[in-house]
Amino acid sequence: MTEVRLHIYDVTNSGSDKTNSTIVQINKIFKDGIGLGGIFHSAVQFSKENILRQYLCRQILGSEVYGEEEWSFGFCEQGSGVFSCPSGKNPMYTYRESMVLGITNFSKLNVNQILQELSREWPGSSYDLLSKNCNHFCDEFCERLGVQKLPGWVNRFANAGDAAIEIAENTALRLRQAKTEIVSASKVAYRFLVGVTSSSSGGNDSPGNSNRGSPRFQAAWFKNIITTGAKPSSSSEIETQGGSGFQNHRLQNSAQTMQQNFQDPQRSP
């Protein structure tokens, strides 16, 4: 049986002392203060010695057994990103703490085979700060060793950032899809309106249709009535009006004759 241990560092490789100090303070506040997480580098160490010797070395010497290595993952332009260094002594970062993740029953040969597989699967050029970093590698390594994964706070900031980017990308994709659908719907609506307008115009110009429903024709017809006065709309109306005028004329002549006879009684009727 072999003990599997996780080593955790503050990420202080920015090249700026001020930035490195800020990261350390952030990790103290967010991890030590409220237990949320921070910006960390991690590495997995499995001991070649028995568990009792490991325990005695830690208690007496205050360190791990000399010569043991930790394994992690980082960026490089060519080759595998999997690398090793003495346990707890990565020169790029500031050592913080370690914790035991469990006991593996794999032999040294089995562990070496797992590392060879991971070396092929994790090229250095595939490194991504948010989606494929050293903590993701340690998670997979521990899963293959049959021990528990990293505590959530170790990689929480990277996971949150990766989730935020994924949400933003999904939102942008949905907005692009919605824009495409809106444009398509607008084109369909435009073609429909153009078709309706063309049909209406063609119907008004046909000989079988009258222009009574046209607002422009109704306005002109009403203006003509006001300007010239009402006109008979049919021959029957003309005849009726003509007959009425003739009868009125006869009645008027009869009235004048009666008046003259009344004024001159000597005149014969």
Side-chain angles (χ1 to χ4, degrees), residues 117-156:
E117 293 173 358
L118 291 173
S119 297
R120 291 192 296 268
E121 297 170 5
W122 291 72
S125 58
S126 68
Y127 179 91
D128 185 89
L129 181 62
L130 298 180
S131 62
K132 196 171 184 178
N133 60 28
C134 56
N135 300 319
H136 295 105
F137 168 81
C138 291
D139 246 350
E140 185 167 343
F141 190 15
C142 289
E143 184 177 8
R144 297 196 186 189
L145 291 174
V147 299
Q148 68 180 11
K149 290 188 174 185
L150 278 61
W153 58 265
V154 176
N155 204 31
R156 181 164 290 135

Side-chain angles (χ1 to χ4, degrees), residues 232-254:
S233 59
S234 65
S235 59
S236 59
E237 292 181 3
I238 296 174
E239 291 176 358
T240 302
Q241 291 181 1
S244 299
F246 178 73
Q247 291 177 358
N248 290 336
H249 179 70
R250 290 185 61 186
L251 290 174
Q252 186 176 4
N253 291 338
S254 299

Side-chain angles (χ1 to χ4, degrees), residues 13 41 72-83 90 92-93 122-129 132-135 137:
N13 63 335
H41 170 80
S72 190
F73 172 73
F75 172 80
C76 62
E77 293 183 355
Q78 296 180 350
S80 175
V82 179
F83 68 95
N90 190 318
M92 296 179 62
Y93 309 107
W122 291 72
S125 58
S126 68
Y127 179 91
D128 185 89
L129 181 62
K132 196 171 184 178
N133 60 28
C134 56
N135 300 319
F137 168 81

Side-chain angles (χ1 to χ4, degrees), residues 104-125:
T104 181
N105 294 320
F106 285 103
S107 65
K108 177 182 177 182
L109 178 62
N110 296 141
V111 174
N112 286 336
Q113 289 177 344
I114 293 173
L115 283 171
Q116 289 176 3
E117 293 173 358
L118 291 173
S119 297
R120 291 192 296 268
E121 297 170 5
W122 291 72
S125 58

Side-chain angles (χ1 to χ4, degrees), residues 12 26 50-51 55 66 82 142 170 204-205 216 249 257:
T12 53
I26 289 174
N50 61 59
I51 297 174
Y55 174 78
Y66 293 108
V82 179
C142 289
N170 290 336
N204 289 336
D205 293 338
R216 181 178 299 177
H249 179 70
T257 302

